[in-house]
Amino acid sequence: MSARTKSAAKSDLHRKHSAIVVDGVERAPSRAMLHAVGFSRADFKKSLIGVASTWSMVTPCNMHIDRLAKEAAKGIDAAGGKSMIFNTITISDGISMGTEGMKYSLVSREVIADSIETVVGCEGMDGYVAIGGCDKNMPGCIMAMARLNRPSVFVYGGTILPGCVGPEKKDADIVTVFEAVGKHANCQINDKELIDIEEHSIPGEGSCGGMYTANTMASAIEALGMSLPNSGAQSAVGDDKLIDCFDAGAAVLNMIKLGITPRDIMTKEAFENAITLIITLGGSTNAVLHLIAMAHSAGVKLTIDDFTRIGKKTPVLADLKPSGKYFMNDLVKIGGTVPLMRMLVEEGLMHGDCLTVTGRSMKENLKKSKIVYPKDQTIVQPLDKPLKKDSHLVIFRGNLCAEGAVGKISGKEGLLFSGKAIVFDSEEKALQAILNDKVKKGHVIVIRMEGPQGGPGMREMLSPTSAIMGKGLGKDVALITDGRFSGGSHGFVVGHVTPEAYVGGTIAIVKNGDPITIDAQKREITLGVPAKEIAARLKAWKKPKPRYTRGILAKYAATVKNASQGAVTDLDVV
């Protein structure tokens, strides 16, 4: 046995991975490299704890995360570990939305997971903190945690504060800007008003301010047990978020001491808790895609049918944007998610015995917290007066989506829509048709060739859905797509249509004028064309050539699974 192997074998469990990299005479070159980045000799006897920072000046969601990463590093060092900060990439959905660049968005989730796995695995880190801001950061971080199964804690970068627009000084956010484009096209606002909205809706750092995908996933991860209490419901600015980061560093060391790893926490029951919380909050359809992918990485079988099962008994309680009145910051002000989760545990809607990164159960964490909602608050409704008695996340089947589709049906847009198809083979063509008044009342807009393989990358349709709202057509048209939606989308919209058009799903052969019915009560989407006609169209259909033949989009299209499987790229998915 070599000196290094003997040393590693004798090492304490708190250095299970780093000892292999730095212990023994033969590892002197490794230690020499680390001396150059600030290690002392004493540091080689400490747990090596990484800080995966998604910092970038690409987007306000992540522009402050370098500051948060440094605070997490302080927490690690103060708790007796040795911190090491490293970066991942990030992209901005809000900036790339409606362009070819948006095809890289969902792809970035895999790149982030792969890059964290690569660095932590390569450098022999014993554990790590991951800090995410924009929505793909979060599932990417958790997927890496599940794969590596080393003690780790997720920290949410925090929600943005609302902007302030117009003479009435109304609160605003990114969706305000997207919908203003439609209003401008409809001559409801002029150039000056549009510029005011553009310049004052995004005041600074933090993730988009409604119950959109970022805040949805932050809340889901907290309910999953992978972040500290209320980490998912904090502003990006202020002392609470800095304290959260510092405490997360110490929490990783505690997990190492207690022998807790992510897969001990990410059980089927924990994922059920995450689904329950995001339903009560009115969260994004993207959560279906991401939670299934996260569960897959953890070796937990989670399917779209679990969302239906849990959704039948779980009400929508929070009046949050995009369908409701309030911003995430309003929920933060009244106490965040902890009082809501306490109520859900007490009523038996969440599993209180699930382990969390604190080393305590969910129930113990909630009991320890003294936070309660003010009596006069109107943001979170009581269980006996829900905004909707069951889930707004509706899993559809039918001859247009035999393997599933996902809609966000708040009830405000109705539960049934029948209309004539108006078909587009790209998001851009659909958007121009909406803005140019070619989409009329009674239309079911069909946007296809935007699926995981066909896009590739499954772009979000926030630009078309916002244009629909801005044009005043929110209650008069519906939209279905094999792409997906931003958490900011609302209206009668259904995404994740599977099988997608590129692989010959029924959506590929829909023609202008075909009758389509979307029934949220029966959970069915029906193309009103005889079965023989559908079969004939499918027989005549020819698969198009790939849009990309090189680079990351080509590799993604060649490996990605369908939306109902979480659009994962692992090879073991059947």
Side-chain angles (χ1 to χ4, degrees):
M1 186 180 287
S2 69
R4 178 179 65 84
T5 306
K6 287 179 182 178
S7 179
K10 293 179 181 178
S11 294
D12 295 330
L13 290 176
H14 73 282
R15 299 181 58 248
K16 179 179 178 181
H17 302 283
S18 61
I20 298 169
V21 175
V22 301
D23 284 8
V25 173
E26 67 224 66
R27 302 310 301 170
S30 304
R31 295 192 297 273
M33 296 283 282
L34 291 169
H35 281 304
V37 296
F39 277 60
S40 68
R41 297 207 70 80
D43 289 332
F44 296 119
K45 297 301 179 184
K46 300 175 182 177
S47 298
L48 177 56
I49 309 298
V51 180
S53 167
T54 58
W55 171 80
S56 172
M57 289 304 290
V58 165
T59 169
C61 307
N62 295 68
M63 62 188 286
H64 61 302
I65 287 178
D66 56 339
R67 182 175 74 248
L68 302 185
K70 291 172 183 175
E71 202 65 24
K74 290 178 185 177
I76 291 164
D77 295 339
K82 175 57 182 174
S83 62
M84 179 182 281
I85 299 174
F86 65 96
N87 266 85
T88 76
I89 60 99
T90 196
I91 54 88
S92 171
D93 291 355
I95 297 170
S96 63
M97 196 74 69
T99 73
E100 195 80 354
M102 186 62 189
K103 292 180 178 180
Y104 292 90
S105 172
L106 188 57
V107 178
S108 77
R109 184 189 73 182
E110 311 306 306
V111 177
I112 291 163
D114 291 349
S115 64
I116 293 174
E117 179 188 355
T118 299
V119 176
V120 173
C122 176
E123 302 303 323
M125 293 174 180
D126 300 300
Y128 62 101
V129 174
I131 309 174
C134 204
D135 51 8
K136 307 313 169 300
N137 303 167
M138 289 176 264
C141 289
I142 296 296
M143 289 164 68
M145 290 175 176
R147 293 177 190 173
L148 290 158
N149 203 33
R150 301 184 190 185
S152 45
V153 175
F154 178 78
V155 174
Y156 177 39
T159 188
I160 197 171
L161 299 177
C164 184
V165 300
E168 301 90 356
K169 303 298 180 184
K170 290 183 178 180
D171 285 350
D173 66 359
I174 186 62
V175 176
T176 309
V177 188
F178 275 101
E179 293 186 358
V181 174
K183 290 179 179 179
H184 184 267
N186 210 27
C187 300
Q188 291 179 261
I189 60 174
N190 59 33
D191 290 351
K192 183 178 180 181
E193 289 170 311
L194 179 60
I195 291 170
D196 175 59
I197 292 170
E198 172 193 325
E199 292 182 347
H200 298 105
S201 290
I202 313 295
E205 57 202 40
S207 298
C208 299
M211 188 46 63
Y212 312 144
T213 306
N215 283 316
T216 297
M217 293 314 301
S219 301
I221 292 168
E222 183 181 336
L224 189 64
M226 287 303 298
S227 61
L228 296 176
N230 252 353
S231 177
Q234 291 173 334
S235 169
V237 296
D239 291 340
D240 285 348
K241 185 46 65 183
L242 294 175
I243 293 169
D244 183 34
C245 293
F246 188 93
D247 289 348
V252 175
L253 273 299
N254 187 51
M255 289 177 71
I256 292 174
K257 179 182 177 181
L258 296 175
I260 297 172
T261 60
R263 291 197 183 191
D264 297 326
I265 296 169
M266 285 192 259
T267 62
K268 181 64 177 281
E269 291 76 18
F271 278 100
E272 290 177 346
N273 282 348
I275 293 171
T276 298
L277 184 63
I278 62 168
I279 290 172
T280 63
L281 292 170
S284 167
T285 53
N286 278 320
V288 179
L289 197 73
H290 294 326
L291 285 171
I292 290 172
M294 289 155 56
H296 168 73
S297 294
V300 172
K301 185 172 177 56
L302 192 72
T303 72
I304 55 175
D305 296 324
D306 288 309
F307 287 81
T308 298
R309 173 176 58 84
I310 295 168
K312 288 179 179 179
K313 63 180 181 180
T314 306
V316 179
L317 301 176
D319 193 14
L320 297 170
K321 288 181 174 292
S323 299
K325 300 176 185 176
Y326 297 100
F327 291 88
M328 185 65 179
N329 191 59
D330 296 315
L331 181 62
V332 172
K333 288 177 182 178
I334 65 167
T337 51
V338 164
L340 174 57
M341 287 197 289
R342 186 187 299 119
M343 177 176 68
L344 294 172
V345 168
E346 289 173 353
E347 294 296 326
L349 291 172
M350 284 179 66
H351 305 286
D353 294 333
C354 288
L355 184 64
T356 74
V357 292
T358 65
R360 299 185 296 268
S361 70
M362 179 71 70
K363 186 186 296 183
E364 289 170 327
N365 285 344
L366 297 171
K367 186 176 180 180
K368 187 179 176 68
S369 172
K370 305 300 180 185
I371 304 172
V372 295
Y373 289 142
K375 290 183 179 180
D376 59 348
Q377 66 86 21
T378 57
I379 299 170
V380 179
Q381 300 302 308
L383 278 169
D384 60 351
K385 294 181 180 179
L387 296 172
K388 191 172 185 291
K389 65 179 182 179
D390 55 7
S391 180
H392 64 300
L393 297 176
V394 178
I395 305 300
F396 290 90
R397 305 279 185 173
N399 68 352
L400 247 177
C401 51
E403 295 174 16
V406 183
K408 182 162 62 173
I409 309 297
S410 71
K412 295 179 180 179
E413 58 285 290
L415 298 173
L416 180 70
F417 193 99
S418 293
K420 300 293 185 180
I422 180 168
V423 183
F424 304 96
D425 284 335
S426 74
E427 177 188 4
E428 289 89 346
K429 291 177 181 178
L431 177 61
Q432 288 307 309
I434 295 165
L435 294 177
N436 294 330
D437 298 322
K438 292 181 180 179
V439 172
K440 307 293 184 182
K441 290 182 179 182
H443 270 146
V444 177
I445 303 165
V446 178
I447 305 178
R448 63 192 179 195
M449 298 305 296
E450 292 287 3
Q453 291 185 51
M458 208 177 178
R459 287 193 290 183
E460 292 179 344
M461 303 292 132
L462 182 57
S463 293
T465 60
S466 296
I468 288 167
M469 289 297 172
K471 280 283 191 177
L473 293 170
K475 294 183 179 181
D476 301 311
V477 302
L479 188 156
I480 64 172
T481 179
D482 53 7
R484 59 196 175 92
F485 295 109
S486 161
S489 291
H490 56 122
F492 215 117
V493 296
V494 181
H496 307 201
V497 169
T498 307
E500 61 174 289
Y502 182 76
V503 300
T506 306
I507 191 173
I509 53 85
V510 178
K511 295 181 178 180
N512 286 334
D514 283 348
I516 294 175
T517 297
I518 306 169
D519 190 327
Q521 289 185 309
K522 292 183 178 180
R523 298 184 176 89
E524 290 181 353
I525 305 178
T526 305
L527 177 64
V529 173
K532 285 186 179 180
E533 172 66 14
I534 292 174
R537 291 185 192 180
L538 287 172
K539 187 176 180 179
W541 178 84
K542 292 183 180 180
K543 187 175 183 177
K545 293 181 180 179
R547 287 176 168 171
Y548 296 85
T549 57
R550 295 184 182 182
I552 193 167
L553 292 179
K555 287 186 283 187
Y556 183 83
T559 57
V560 69
K561 306 307 181 291
N562 70 42
S564 292
Q565 294 173 309
V568 298
T569 56
D570 291 324
L571 299 178
D572 65 335
V573 178
V574 179

